[in-house]
Amino acid sequence: MRYGLAYKVGDINKDLIKETLSLVDSEELKDSKIVDPTGYSKRSSVGMWISDRNILNQYMSIAQFINRRCGWDFELDEIEPLQYTEYYEGGEFGWHVDQHNTPYSDNRVRKVSFSIILNDDFNGGEFDLETGNPNKDVRYDTMNVKKDQGVFFQSDYFHRVRPVTGGVRKSLVGWVLGPKFL
């Protein structure tokens, strides 16, 4: 279902980010390592979930606007809790897609994903999005996402966070849902 723009990078309201970060409790950060069946560490980070409905509704509105602006025109009707994540030196998240192989029990699927960068005092940690263009030597775009900006993309695109080489990369990730594709 790929049509419209591949992705959109845009500024996020600083007051919304500040309000969201007020809900982050460093005591609640938990290891969010993901290891694949071969033992390879796909993700090395710590994080927590943000479920405040007022906050979620604001990010949902942004995602709905981007959905229309990018020409995706997906039916979107729910947002999952946001994931606040910190990647320390060496932390990364290998190539993956956010859309699951089967719909949730309520028949919804992830349709739009976003990642918001919350700081700029780190090195490495680049965000790559696989655009699948066979005419390019490199089949992905490296996003130039700055502090207080987000990249929005369709949830079935492969993407990754490259290893952080210095400092701590902080981000906020979200997934917007809608009825499964027919």
Side-chain angles (χ1 to χ4, degrees):
M1 303 301 275
R2 293 188 180 175
Y3 41 83
L5 299 176
Y7 58 86
K8 178 72 174 157
V9 175
D11 294 332
I12 306 299
N13 181 289
K14 289 178 181 26
D15 290 334
L16 175 57
I17 290 175
K18 184 177 180 180
E19 184 180 359
T20 306
L21 292 179
S22 74
L23 301 174
V24 172
D25 181 352
S26 61
E27 299 292 319
E28 290 187 30
L29 296 179
K30 298 195 180 345
D31 184 10
S32 55
K33 187 174 207 165
I34 296 178
V35 178
D36 75 11
T38 67
Y40 170 73
S41 176
K42 286 185 70 169
R43 179 172 67 196
S44 178
S45 62
V46 296
M48 66 168 286
W49 300 99
I50 299 171
S51 301
D52 179 274
R53 183 42 63 181
N54 177 53
I55 296 286
L56 294 176
N57 288 342
Q58 292 179 70
Y59 286 100
M60 176 76 171
S61 293
I62 295 167
Q64 289 172 322
F65 173 79
I66 298 290
N67 175 50
R68 290 187 303 274
R69 180 105 187 243
C70 288
W72 304 329
D73 299 321
F74 295 141
E75 183 178 348
L76 303 174
D77 61 8
E78 187 58 79
I79 185 169
E80 292 186 50
L82 303 174
Q83 183 181 45
Y84 170 81
T85 306
E86 294 182 358
Y87 293 91
Y88 291 87
E89 192 166 330
E92 66 180 311
F93 196 166
W95 287 110
H96 65 285
V97 296
D98 293 336
Q99 194 174 81
H100 304 300
N101 291 331
T102 57
Y104 289 124
S105 61
D106 63 3
N107 225 23
R108 286 187 175 104
V109 296
R110 289 178 172 174
K111 293 184 174 182
V112 175
S113 298
F114 59 88
S115 181
I116 299 168
I117 300 300
L118 303 171
N119 64 323
D120 56 9
D121 54 346
F122 65 92
N123 295 311
E126 296 88 352
F127 185 92
D128 294 328
L129 185 70
E130 202 273 334
T131 54
N133 186 338
N135 297 316
K136 292 171 58 177
D137 290 335
V138 178
R139 293 180 54 134
Y140 59 85
D141 292 343
T142 300
M143 305 292 103
N144 184 21
V145 184
K146 296 176 176 32
K147 178 182 177 186
D148 299 334
Q149 287 188 325
V151 58
F152 291 76
F153 55 96
Q154 295 179 41
S155 298
D156 67 338
Y157 274 70
F158 274 91
H159 56 286
R160 70 177 175 184
V161 175
R162 289 197 232 166
V164 172
T165 58
V168 179
R169 179 189 191 272
K170 298 175 184 180
S171 63
L172 192 63
V173 176
W175 306 274
V176 183
L177 312 172
K180 77 174 189 173
F181 296 107
L182 299 178

